[in-house]
Amino acid sequence: MKINNQMKAVAFAGVTIFSSLANAAENPGAKAPKQGIWRGEFVISETHIPFNFEYNAKDKEHPVLTLLNGSRRDDFKVTKLSGDSIFVKMNTYDAALVANVESDGKITGEYRSLVPGFRGSSLPFSAEYGKDYRFVEKGKEQPTKHNLSGKWDLQVLSKAKMPDNVALLKQEGNKLTGVIMSTVGDSRELEGVVQGDEFVLSHFSGPNPRVYKGKINEDGSITGVISSGIYDNTKFEGSKNDQAALPDPYKLTHLKEGYSKLDFTLPDLNGKQVSLSDDKYKGKVVIVEIVGTWCPNCTDQTAFLSPWFKANKARGVEAIAIGFEQKDDLEYAKYTLGTLKKKYGIEYDILFGGIADKKVASEKLPALNRMMAFPTTILIDRKGDVRQIHTGYTGEVTGQYFKDYVAKWNKDLDELLAEPVPATFTSLNKNPEVKGSK
């Protein structure tokens, strides 16, 4: 691609990133994306995954690309590499959109992993300015006799054991939006259309793009295929069910028999070994968040926890994020987890657990029966005993599910913080005044 002649790879903190060969200053013949709405398409084999975004360069020094998914907005900094090429880092995800502005005004490029040594394929895409539809142009909608609004039991059919799924869909005319929840998290907001007896939804907010194509059967059930980035296609089937439910996320991960505490010693981003037995955590309520910067549900959970911690840290609570990353390398983790810290203003400790693998995470946290999902959130009381383990995370798009999660979170933390500091720890940590949750 022409892009390759305009960039060179440079190493920084163990991570390969792209920088321009020349100064990024504008020149008289420079081409830049037009400001406003765009429609892009990824092409994966014969599958097309559309996405929408806005380009805003009112601040010429800090242009922004905003990915649009229903009501969700995700902003990304745009770096100008030379006259007609741009680089859009996907925030905490170690990937980027690398593209050219062509002579006809279109954008062409690739979605590219930046993880050193990653051997997966890049995803080509193109985008056109001024197109605000996703799948079907206005006026070309086909009549539909179906309304998919409601709650659905969804079964994903794969050789690998897939988690249970519940889909929450909302249809207005031909427009379809929704979210798919599983025992490990949610899909983030999906957007698409219903056309006749078929429907299609897609999503792209920084991590892998996905598309869900389905058919509405005569009995009202649905069948279809999920295509997700560089991964294989998987089939699904579903039926509407107002009583559809997922397993209790507070009962999926638990301590092994004979354990009451969690024990680990892991390095922070400066290489210092940190343990729950350190004085800093004695007599405190401790929140342990097991995450990865590559994981969208993890970043959504961090976006919730970070401001909550800032508002409540004076009450006798500490938090620890344990990051499992795409390379088993502390220098690489300094970069990825450091980006997470900066992005969300994290004021609690961040440790590096190792490579992003559930088996590895289970080995690093041997008291757990298994590591089932990233993220997993563990609440530890002032005596150091594990009181609660929550598997996965469902964000704001899940509506009442998210509201119920927040209500229970605040209630449970209030109760733990109201418990007295054990006499053994009073010399280390005076019991702070307990205030209402924020």
Side-chain angles (χ1 to χ4, degrees), residues 269-331:
L269 301 189
N270 294 315
K272 177 186 175 183
Q273 296 295 315
V274 175
S275 171
L276 279 173
S277 61
D278 294 344
D279 286 349
K280 178 178 181 178
Y281 304 110
K282 291 179 179 178
K284 300 280 190 72
V285 173
V286 182
I287 302 163
V288 177
E289 175 194 35
I290 305 170
V291 299
T293 58
W294 46 270
C295 160
N297 293 142
C298 296
T299 54
D300 287 347
Q301 200 273 348
T302 299
F304 165 76
L305 177 59
S306 181
W308 185 93
F309 179 77
K310 288 180 185 178
N312 290 275
K313 62 182 180 180
R315 301 173 62 197
V317 62
E318 292 289 347
I320 301 172
I322 304 176
F324 289 85
E325 296 300 286
Q326 295 178 89
K327 281 185 70 66
D328 191 8
D329 181 87
L330 181 58
E331 286 301 307

Side-chain angles (χ1 to χ4, degrees), residues 157-174:
L157 312 175
S158 172
K159 292 180 181 178
K161 186 178 180 181
M162 301 296 289
D164 297 317
N165 293 267
V166 172
L168 307 177
L169 301 179
K170 181 179 180 181
Q171 182 178 338
E172 296 178 333
N174 290 80

